[in-house]
Amino acid sequence: MAQLNIIAFDGTRFDLSVEEGSTVMENAVRNSVPGIDAECGGACACATCHVYVDDEWVERAGSPSPMEEDMLDFAVDVRPNSRLSCQIKMTAALDGLTVHVPERQG
């Protein structure tokens, strides 16, 4: 199990124990985190699971793939730390990861 912290736009904090290999999006949906719409179900075919990776985790979370970068073009208020939560798989290296949900999705 790994620790995943998701902070909703209103400041509500979701501190979750999650399975390694699961995605941030899967865990957000499973725990009814507001603001993670996940319309494509994790296929990297929309931008409705957009999150901001906390600054201290950006390097460990990695960079978006070219396909993810293309989908981020449809997100609102994209920042250097923007990622699609369906593309972040939880690993032991990401134990403690913190992400923030934007005000609205694309």
Side-chain angles (χ1 to χ4, degrees):
M1 298 294 278
Q3 179 72 29
L4 169 62
N5 309 301
I6 304 174
I7 302 171
F9 182 74
D10 69 0
T12 303
R13 187 177 175 99
F14 295 80
D15 296 323
L16 310 172
S17 292
V18 303
E19 295 285 334
E20 290 183 26
S22 64
T23 67
V24 172
M25 183 223 60
E26 291 168 335
N27 290 293
V29 169
R30 199 173 290 135
N31 289 279
S32 302
V33 174
I36 300 293
D37 300 330
E39 290 177 4
C40 75
C44 196
C46 70
T48 61
C49 69
H50 175 216
V51 294
Y52 302 119
V53 175
D54 202 68
D55 289 341
E56 69 181 82
W57 289 96
V58 169
E59 189 172 310
R60 283 181 270 180
S63 300
S65 69
M67 185 162 77
E68 183 181 351
E69 285 180 349
D70 288 345
M71 286 297 106
L72 281 167
D73 288 341
F74 298 100
V76 176
D77 193 22
V78 175
R79 301 175 186 173
N81 61 337
S82 287
R83 291 291 309 272
L84 297 181
S85 61
C86 68
Q87 299 301 297
I88 304 172
K89 285 193 185 244
M90 293 301 298
T91 64
L94 292 180
D95 185 20
L97 174 67
T98 299
V99 299
H100 302 263
V101 179
E103 181 175 9
R104 62 189 181 101
Q105 296 290 351

